[in-house]
Amino acid sequence: MKRAAALSALLTLSLAAAQKTATIGWSGAITGPTSDAGASYAAGVEDYCRYAVSQNTLPGIKLNCVVRDDQYNNANTQRNFEDYVGNMNASAFLGYSTGGTLQLKSTVQEVKVPTLPGSYHIGNVDGADSQYIFLPISSYSEQLVSLVEYVAKKDRGAKIALVVNPSPFGRAPVDDVRKAAQRLGVQIVDVQEVGGNNLDNTALLKRFESAGVKYVLNQNTAGPVANILKDAKRLNLLGKMQFMGAHYAGGEDLTRLAGDAANNFIWATSYYMFDEADKPGIQLVKKIGAANNRKPDTIRSVHYTSGMLAASIAIEAIRRSKDPSAAGVYKGITSMTGSRAFNPGFTVGPVTFSAKDHIGAESLRLLQADSTGNFKAITGAQRSAIFPLVHSLK
């Protein structure tokens, strides 16, 4: 009996010693600028990791997901990344901001840790120092260019204004949008930077009205956009100007903040919506959110789904390679091609990556807010026809 007990204890110790650990670190804005999106994104990362553990998705591998608030501060992002990689031997890094990701590009290339940013800036995956960075969905540039294409088909020669966040996130797609507008025969007549303290947008909107602007494209988070929409309603401009935006500008986060001022807002994103209840990915979002006692506003936020997608890609990469090292994650991510595409059901198309293709769910839809506050698709899943002509990846 004693010998059997000793052998059992030895076996337990051996199994524990043999068990590998996969550490996935996230750094983003749970507080501070853009936290209206970042807090829900962080919750999605945390909750999908818990779900993966509960499902024993990685047999024989201990999954350790670490989520930290960097307050949208690039220096904090850098410190978190260095701690994850240097002290925790991170398998993958889940980033958030555009500025933070661009600052880390050369370091990521050096340490070879696969990085999935919450920033969908095309520049994150452009250039020779982008081998280990992967965008989960279509880029901001392609989203906004798709909106410009939509305008050009309806109203050739139309005057468009861009309202962007005063940060690398906001400024990132401006050049691509200008190039697309020039090719498509519409005019970008103004570009203005607006942050989260925009409590009175009267001067901005009057400026647009005087310039004859009919379309306002937003590259921002929902908070600043909601304030602009509410002021546009007060000034009776909603019928005169069509407001539109890329991924972080729209969704139920916007309609919750703007109320009926968000009616008819047109939005570009690659994600399915909370009310598309027939989609397996959305059913999973609801199940995981309820299991973690998340508030309804969090579960309904597209950014909650976004966080889940980023976490699911990293975890699926480890599952495929059976290797929690950074090299194993890279191998797993770049295997998601052709018939081996990854489709967790969160986006309108599958996630595909390869050594040369670093944009995951490339398809997107245009959606429009209705009077109930929900966004309904006004196009099917699509790619921008002109985007490859205005931005060729190096």
Side-chain angles (χ1 to χ4, degrees):
M1 287 290 291
K2 287 182 179 179
R3 185 178 179 185
L7 286 171
S8 176
L10 183 60
L11 179 61
T12 301
L13 287 170
S14 297
L15 287 171
Q19 188 179 45
K20 301 173 183 177
T21 298
T23 296
I24 298 171
W26 182 85
S27 179
I30 298 174
T31 61
T34 78
S35 59
D36 51 341
S40 295
Y41 195 108
V45 171
E46 284 185 318
D47 292 353
Y48 192 87
C49 285
R50 292 192 185 104
Y51 169 75
V53 170
S54 72
Q55 299 299 301
N56 193 29
T57 303
L58 303 176
I61 298 174
K62 178 185 176 182
L63 179 60
N64 176 37
C65 291
V66 185
V67 168
R68 289 182 182 170
D69 181 12
D70 63 23
Q71 302 175 312
Y72 208 61
N73 182 306
N74 293 346
N76 292 340
T77 307
Q78 181 90 28
R79 280 191 289 269
N80 288 338
F81 178 84
E82 290 171 354
D83 190 34
Y84 292 148
V85 173
N87 297 322
M88 301 185 194
N89 196 28
S91 309
F93 177 66
L94 308 183
Y96 178 70
S97 74
T98 300
T101 305
L102 291 174
Q103 179 176 286
L104 285 170
K105 273 184 79 171
S106 61
T107 306
V108 169
Q109 182 69 18
E110 181 183 347
V111 299
K112 299 180 172 57
V113 172
T115 295
L116 293 150
S119 161
Y120 307 136
H121 172 34
I122 192 69
N124 292 334
V125 294
D126 206 351
D129 57 350
S130 304
Q131 187 178 352
Y132 297 93
I133 301 177
F134 300 86
L135 297 193
I137 67 163
S138 60
S139 69
Y140 301 137
S141 289
E142 184 158 0
Q143 293 162 19
L144 288 166
V145 168
S146 294
L147 291 169
V148 174
E149 286 175 316
Y150 176 84
V151 171
K153 287 176 184 175
K154 289 176 56 104
D155 194 358
R156 191 168 179 83
K159 293 182 177 180
I160 301 172
L162 274 172
V163 180
V164 305
N165 191 270
S167 68
F169 151 64
R171 302 177 192 113
V174 171
D175 285 347
D176 288 334
V177 174
R178 286 189 186 277
K179 292 174 186 175
Q182 187 173 18
R183 280 180 172 268
L184 290 165
V186 294
Q187 304 175 63
I188 304 296
V189 298
D190 204 351
V191 179
Q192 292 293 314
E193 296 188 358
V194 174
N197 58 347
N198 61 325
L199 300 181
D200 187 349
N201 301 280
T202 302
L204 175 80
L205 292 164
K206 288 293 186 182
R207 176 190 178 100
F208 292 165
E209 185 181 28
S210 297
V213 168
K214 290 183 66 177
Y215 300 88
V216 180
L217 268 62
N218 293 271
Q219 168 61 359
N220 221 320
T221 56
V225 178
N227 290 338
I228 291 171
L229 291 174
K230 287 185 284 189
D231 284 343
K233 178 184 177 183
R234 173 175 55 80
L235 297 168
N236 296 313
L237 293 174
L238 287 180
K240 299 177 182 179
M241 297 178 191
Q242 173 66 61
F243 290 84
M244 317 169 86
H247 171 75
Y248 279 101
E252 292 200 21
D253 300 81
L254 177 65
T255 54
R256 175 171 51 83
L257 293 170
D260 63 2
N263 288 1
N264 297 316
F265 186 91
I266 297 176
W267 180 44
T269 189
S270 296
Y271 290 97
Y272 284 123
M273 299 295 101
F274 177 88
D275 62 338
E276 295 183 277
D278 61 323
K279 307 302 181 186
I282 295 302
Q283 293 169 7
L284 182 59
V285 167
K286 294 178 180 180
K287 175 183 174 180
I288 293 174
N292 287 279
N293 297 312
R294 295 294 183 183
K295 295 178 181 178
D297 285 348
T298 298
I299 302 172
R300 299 183 73 92
S301 170
V302 69
H303 310 307
Y304 186 60
T305 307
S306 303
M308 287 196 187
L309 178 65
S312 72
I313 292 170
I315 292 168
E316 172 66 10
I318 297 166
R319 188 194 69 80
R320 290 184 178 208
S321 69
K322 299 179 175 59
D323 177 2
S325 71
V329 174
Y330 179 81
K331 179 181 178 182
I333 289 177
T334 54
S335 76
M336 298 176 186
T337 186
S339 63
R340 300 199 68 206
F342 176 47
N343 194 355
F346 301 135
T347 55
V348 298
V351 174
T352 60
F353 292 115
S354 70
K356 293 184 178 180
D357 174 16
H358 285 218
I359 301 175
E362 294 177 295
S363 296
L364 58 85
R365 295 182 298 178
L366 303 189
L367 304 101
Q368 190 163 29
D370 63 18
S371 59
T372 69
N374 292 326
F375 277 86
K376 304 296 184 184
I378 58 174
T379 71
Q382 63 180 38
R383 296 289 310 278
S384 165
I386 202 167
F387 178 64
L389 302 178
V390 299
H391 193 112
S392 56
L393 288 170
K394 302 176 185 66

PDB file of all heavy atoms in Angstrom, residues 71-92:
ATOM      1  N   GLN A  71      -4.300  52.227 -19.435  1.00  0.00           N
ATOM      2  CA  GLN A  71      -4.839  53.594 -19.448  1.00  0.00           C
ATOM      3  C   GLN A  71      -4.578  54.324 -20.768  1.00  0.00           C
ATOM      4  O   GLN A  71      -4.530  55.543 -20.817  1.00  0.00           O
ATOM      5  CB  GLN A  71      -4.289  54.405 -18.273  1.00  0.00           C
ATOM      6  CG  GLN A  71      -4.605  53.781 -16.923  1.00  0.00           C
ATOM      7  CD  GLN A  71      -3.966  54.527 -15.768  1.00  0.00           C
ATOM      8  OE1 GLN A  71      -2.778  54.848 -15.806  1.00  0.00           O
ATOM      9  NE2 GLN A  71      -4.751  54.813 -14.741  1.00  0.00           N
ATOM     10  N   TYR A  72      -4.413  53.571 -21.846  1.00  0.00           N
ATOM     11  CA  TYR A  72      -4.159  54.129 -23.185  1.00  0.00           C
ATOM     12  C   TYR A  72      -2.857  54.919 -23.204  1.00  0.00           C
ATOM     13  O   TYR A  72      -2.714  55.918 -23.897  1.00  0.00           O
ATOM     14  CB  TYR A  72      -5.337  55.003 -23.628  1.00  0.00           C
ATOM     15  CG  TYR A  72      -5.539  55.083 -25.130  1.00  0.00           C
ATOM     16  CD1 TYR A  72      -5.809  53.937 -25.875  1.00  0.00           C
ATOM     17  CD2 TYR A  72      -5.502  56.299 -25.798  1.00  0.00           C
ATOM     18  CE1 TYR A  72      -6.024  54.006 -27.243  1.00  0.00           C
ATOM     19  CE2 TYR A  72      -5.707  56.379 -27.175  1.00  0.00           C
ATOM     20  CZ  TYR A  72      -5.965  55.221 -27.892  1.00  0.00           C
ATOM     21  OH  TYR A  72      -6.178  55.285 -29.249  1.00  0.00           O
ATOM     22  N   ASN A  73      -1.908  54.429 -22.427  1.00  0.00           N
ATOM     23  CA  ASN A  73      -0.606  55.079 -22.295  1.00  0.00           C
ATOM     24  C   ASN A  73       0.449  54.152 -22.892  1.00  0.00           C
ATOM     25  O   ASN A  73       0.653  53.029 -22.404  1.00  0.00           O
ATOM     26  CB  ASN A  73      -0.321  55.354 -20.809  1.00  0.00           C
ATOM     27  CG  ASN A  73       0.990  56.065 -20.572  1.00  0.00           C
ATOM     28  OD1 ASN A  73       2.041  55.608 -21.018  1.00  0.00           O
ATOM     29  ND2 ASN A  73       0.947  57.166 -19.842  1.00  0.00           N
ATOM     30  N   ASN A  74       1.122  54.610 -23.933  1.00  0.00           N
ATOM     31  CA  ASN A  74       2.064  53.750 -24.650  1.00  0.00           C
ATOM     32  C   ASN A  74       3.207  53.256 -23.772  1.00  0.00           C
ATOM     33  O   ASN A  74       3.696  52.128 -23.942  1.00  0.00           O
ATOM     34  CB  ASN A  74       2.644  54.478 -25.860  1.00  0.00           C
ATOM     35  CG  ASN A  74       1.602  54.748 -26.931  1.00  0.00           C
ATOM     36  OD1 ASN A  74       0.512  54.179 -26.915  1.00  0.00           O
ATOM     37  ND2 ASN A  74       1.932  55.626 -27.862  1.00  0.00           N
ATOM     38  N   ALA A  75       3.640  54.086 -22.826  1.00  0.00           N
ATOM     39  CA  ALA A  75       4.725  53.666 -21.930  1.00  0.00           C
ATOM     40  C   ALA A  75       4.267  52.502 -21.058  1.00  0.00           C
ATOM     41  O   ALA A  75       5.032  51.562 -20.803  1.00  0.00           O
ATOM     42  CB  ALA A  75       5.179  54.845 -21.068  1.00  0.00           C
ATOM     43  N   ASN A  76       3.018  52.544 -20.609  1.00  0.00           N
ATOM     44  CA  ASN A  76       2.473  51.437 -19.813  1.00  0.00           C
ATOM     45  C   ASN A  76       2.349  50.176 -20.663  1.00  0.00           C
ATOM     46  O   ASN A  76       2.623  49.057 -20.192  1.00  0.00           O
ATOM     47  CB  ASN A  76       1.107  51.811 -19.245  1.00  0.00           C
ATOM     48  CG  ASN A  76       1.186  52.898 -18.199  1.00  0.00           C
ATOM     49  OD1 ASN A  76       2.237  53.136 -17.613  1.00  0.00           O
ATOM     50  ND2 ASN A  76       0.069  53.577 -17.955  1.00  0.00           N
ATOM     51  N   THR A  77       1.923  50.358 -21.916  1.00  0.00           N
ATOM     52  CA  THR A  77       1.829  49.213 -22.826  1.00  0.00           C
ATOM     53  C   THR A  77       3.189  48.543 -22.986  1.00  0.00           C
ATOM     54  O   THR A  77       3.307  47.311 -22.941  1.00  0.00           O
ATOM     55  CB  THR A  77       1.315  49.663 -24.206  1.00  0.00           C
ATOM     56  OG1 THR A  77       0.112  50.400 -24.061  1.00  0.00           O
ATOM     57  CG2 THR A  77       1.066  48.463 -25.107  1.00  0.00           C
ATOM     58  N   GLN A  78       4.211  49.360 -23.179  1.00  0.00           N
ATOM     59  CA  GLN A  78       5.579  48.846 -23.336  1.00  0.00           C
ATOM     60  C   GLN A  78       6.009  48.060 -22.112  1.00  0.00           C
ATOM     61  O   GLN A  78       6.557  46.955 -22.228  1.00  0.00           O
ATOM     62  CB  GLN A  78       6.539  50.016 -23.569  1.00  0.00           C
ATOM     63  CG  GLN A  78       7.992  49.614 -23.770  1.00  0.00           C
ATOM     64  CD  GLN A  78       8.354  49.370 -25.216  1.00  0.00           C
ATOM     65  OE1 GLN A  78       7.756  49.954 -26.116  1.00  0.00           O
ATOM     66  NE2 GLN A  78       9.319  48.514 -25.451  1.00  0.00           N
ATOM     67  N   ARG A  79       5.751  48.615 -20.921  1.00  0.00           N
ATOM     68  CA  ARG A  79       6.140  47.923 -19.684  1.00  0.00           C
ATOM     69  C   ARG A  79       5.399  46.596 -19.532  1.00  0.00           C
ATOM     70  O   ARG A  79       5.998  45.584 -19.132  1.00  0.00           O
ATOM     71  CB  ARG A  79       5.878  48.825 -18.473  1.00  0.00           C
ATOM     72  CG  ARG A  79       6.954  49.873 -18.234  1.00  0.00           C
ATOM     73  CD  ARG A  79       6.785  50.556 -16.894  1.00  0.00           C
ATOM     74  NE  ARG A  79       5.627  51.425 -16.889  1.00  0.00           N
ATOM     75  CZ  ARG A  79       5.666  52.717 -17.220  1.00  0.00           C
ATOM     76  NH1 ARG A  79       6.809  53.264 -17.601  1.00  0.00           N
ATOM     77  NH2 ARG A  79       4.571  53.455 -17.183  1.00  0.00           N
ATOM     78  N   ASN A  80       4.118  46.600 -19.828  1.00  0.00           N
ATOM     79  CA  ASN A  80       3.343  45.363 -19.721  1.00  0.00           C
ATOM     80  C   ASN A  80       3.871  44.305 -20.689  1.00  0.00           C
ATOM     81  O   ASN A  80       4.034  43.127 -20.328  1.00  0.00           O
ATOM     82  CB  ASN A  80       1.865  45.637 -19.999  1.00  0.00           C
ATOM     83  CG  ASN A  80       1.186  46.397 -18.882  1.00  0.00           C
ATOM     84  OD1 ASN A  80       1.645  46.382 -17.734  1.00  0.00           O
ATOM     85  ND2 ASN A  80       0.087  47.055 -19.187  1.00  0.00           N
ATOM     86  N   PHE A  81       4.135  44.718 -21.934  1.00  0.00           N
ATOM     87  CA  PHE A  81       4.674  43.784 -22.926  1.00  0.00           C
ATOM     88  C   PHE A  81       6.001  43.197 -22.457  1.00  0.00           C
ATOM     89  O   PHE A  81       6.217  41.976 -22.525  1.00  0.00           O
ATOM     90  CB  PHE A  81       4.852  44.494 -24.267  1.00  0.00           C
ATOM     91  CG  PHE A  81       5.437  43.627 -25.341  1.00  0.00           C
ATOM     92  CD1 PHE A  81       4.623  42.791 -26.090  1.00  0.00           C
ATOM     93  CD2 PHE A  81       6.803  43.640 -25.614  1.00  0.00           C
ATOM     94  CE1 PHE A  81       5.168  41.977 -27.087  1.00  0.00           C
ATOM     95  CE2 PHE A  81       7.351  42.842 -26.599  1.00  0.00           C
ATOM     96  CZ  PHE A  81       6.524  42.006 -27.337  1.00  0.00           C
ATOM     97  N   GLU A  82       6.882  44.034 -21.980  1.00  0.00           N
ATOM     98  CA  GLU A  82       8.199  43.568 -21.525  1.00  0.00           C
ATOM     99  C   GLU A  82       8.081  42.603 -20.354  1.00  0.00           C
ATOM    100  O   GLU A  82       8.844  41.629 -20.258  1.00  0.00           O
ATOM    101  CB  GLU A  82       9.066  44.766 -21.154  1.00  0.00           C
ATOM    102  CG  GLU A  82       9.501  45.585 -22.367  1.00  0.00           C
ATOM    103  CD  GLU A  82      10.185  46.893 -21.996  1.00  0.00           C
ATOM    104  OE1 GLU A  82      10.222  47.210 -20.784  1.00  0.00           O
ATOM    105  OE2 GLU A  82      10.677  47.590 -22.908  1.00  0.00           O
ATOM    106  N   ASP A  83       7.110  42.852 -19.468  1.00  0.00           N
ATOM    107  CA  ASP A  83       6.907  41.946 -18.338  1.00  0.00           C
ATOM    108  C   ASP A  83       6.348  40.606 -18.805  1.00  0.00           C
ATOM    109  O   ASP A  83       6.813  39.539 -18.376  1.00  0.00           O
ATOM    110  CB  ASP A  83       5.969  42.585 -17.320  1.00  0.00           C
ATOM    111  CG  ASP A  83       5.900  41.813 -16.008  1.00  0.00           C
ATOM    112  OD1 ASP A  83       6.936  41.243 -15.605  1.00  0.00           O
ATOM    113  OD2 ASP A  83       4.823  41.776 -15.390  1.00  0.00           O
ATOM    114  N   TYR A  84       5.371  40.654 -19.702  1.00  0.00           N
ATOM    115  CA  TYR A  84       4.802  39.414 -20.224  1.00  0.00           C
ATOM    116  C   TYR A  84       5.870  38.560 -20.912  1.00  0.00           C
ATOM    117  O   TYR A  84       5.955  37.345 -20.696  1.00  0.00           O
ATOM    118  CB  TYR A  84       3.688  39.714 -21.237  1.00  0.00           C
ATOM    119  CG  TYR A  84       2.441  40.340 -20.670  1.00  0.00           C
ATOM    120  CD1 TYR A  84       1.683  41.232 -21.421  1.00  0.00           C
ATOM    121  CD2 TYR A  84       1.982  40.030 -19.393  1.00  0.00           C
ATOM    122  CE1 TYR A  84       0.525  41.797 -20.929  1.00  0.00           C
ATOM    123  CE2 TYR A  84       0.816  40.598 -18.892  1.00  0.00           C
ATOM    124  CZ  TYR A  84       0.102  41.486 -19.662  1.00  0.00           C
ATOM    125  OH  TYR A  84      -1.052  42.059 -19.172  1.00  0.00           O
ATOM    126  N   VAL A  85       6.681  39.206 -21.731  1.00  0.00           N
ATOM    127  CA  VAL A  85       7.667  38.469 -22.519  1.00  0.00           C
ATOM    128  C   VAL A  85       8.893  38.098 -21.680  1.00  0.00           C
ATOM    129  O   VAL A  85       9.356  36.951 -21.711  1.00  0.00           O
ATOM    130  CB  VAL A  85       8.093  39.301 -23.754  1.00  0.00           C
ATOM    131  CG1 VAL A  85       9.243  38.620 -24.497  1.00  0.00           C
ATOM    132  CG2 VAL A  85       6.901  39.502 -24.685  1.00  0.00           C
ATOM    133  N   GLY A  86       9.393  39.060 -20.908  1.00  0.00           N
ATOM    134  CA  GLY A  86      10.633  38.835 -20.170  1.00  0.00           C
ATOM    135  C   GLY A  86      10.478  38.004 -18.915  1.00  0.00           C
ATOM    136  O   GLY A  86      11.366  37.195 -18.595  1.00  0.00           O
ATOM    137  N   ASN A  87       9.352  38.165 -18.219  1.00  0.00           N
ATOM    138  CA  ASN A  87       9.182  37.483 -16.930  1.00  0.00           C
ATOM    139  C   ASN A  87       8.164  36.353 -16.948  1.00  0.00           C
ATOM    140  O   ASN A  87       8.154  35.513 -16.056  1.00  0.00           O
ATOM    141  CB  ASN A  87       8.785  38.504 -15.852  1.00  0.00           C
ATOM    142  CG  ASN A  87       9.866  39.551 -15.629  1.00  0.00           C
ATOM    143  OD1 ASN A  87      11.052  39.233 -15.658  1.00  0.00           O
ATOM    144  ND2 ASN A  87       9.460  40.795 -15.428  1.00  0.00           N
ATOM    145  N   MET A  88       7.282  36.358 -17.939  1.00  0.00           N
ATOM    146  CA  MET A  88       6.232  35.331 -17.987  1.00  0.00           C
ATOM    147  C   MET A  88       6.342  34.419 -19.198  1.00  0.00           C
ATOM    148  O   MET A  88       5.518  33.537 -19.391  1.00  0.00           O
ATOM    149  CB  MET A  88       4.844  35.992 -17.972  1.00  0.00           C
ATOM    150  CG  MET A  88       4.568  36.852 -16.761  1.00  0.00           C
ATOM    151  SD  MET A  88       2.864  37.467 -16.771  1.00  0.00           S
ATOM    152  CE  MET A  88       2.969  38.738 -15.516  1.00  0.00           C
ATOM    153  N   ASN A  89       7.346  34.660 -20.040  1.00  0.00           N
ATOM    154  CA  ASN A  89       7.565  33.821 -21.224  1.00  0.00           C
ATOM    155  C   ASN A  89       6.286  33.716 -22.057  1.00  0.00           C
ATOM    156  O   ASN A  89       5.821  32.627 -22.405  1.00  0.00           O
ATOM    157  CB  ASN A  89       8.044  32.424 -20.807  1.00  0.00           C
ATOM    158  CG  ASN A  89       8.654  31.655 -21.959  1.00  0.00           C
ATOM    159  OD1 ASN A  89       9.185  32.241 -22.889  1.00  0.00           O
ATOM    160  ND2 ASN A  89       8.563  30.338 -21.907  1.00  0.00           N
ATOM    161  N   ALA A  90       5.715  34.856 -22.381  1.00  0.00           N
ATOM    162  CA  ALA A  90       4.408  34.905 -23.044  1.00  0.00           C
ATOM    163  C   ALA A  90       4.378  34.113 -24.340  1.00  0.00           C
ATOM    164  O   ALA A  90       5.312  34.159 -25.144  1.00  0.00           O
ATOM    165  CB  ALA A  90       4.019  36.353 -23.314  1.00  0.00           C
ATOM    166  N   SER A  91       3.262  33.410 -24.536  1.00  0.00           N
ATOM    167  CA  SER A  91       3.023  32.693 -25.786  1.00  0.00           C
ATOM    168  C   SER A  91       2.555  33.651 -26.864  1.00  0.00           C
ATOM    169  O   SER A  91       2.893  33.499 -28.045  1.00  0.00           O
ATOM    170  CB  SER A  91       1.952  31.623 -25.571  1.00  0.00           C
ATOM    171  OG  SER A  91       2.253  30.805 -24.462  1.00  0.00           O
ATOM    172  N   ALA A  92       1.750  34.641 -26.456  1.00  0.00           N
ATOM    173  CA  ALA A  92       1.197  35.614 -27.396  1.00  0.00           C
ATOM    174  C   ALA A  92       0.866  36.883 -26.634  1.00  0.00           C
ATOM    175  O   ALA A  92       0.626  36.860 -25.429  1.00  0.00           O
ATOM    176  CB  ALA A  92      -0.051  35.064 -28.077  1.00  0.00           C
TER     177      ALA A  92
END
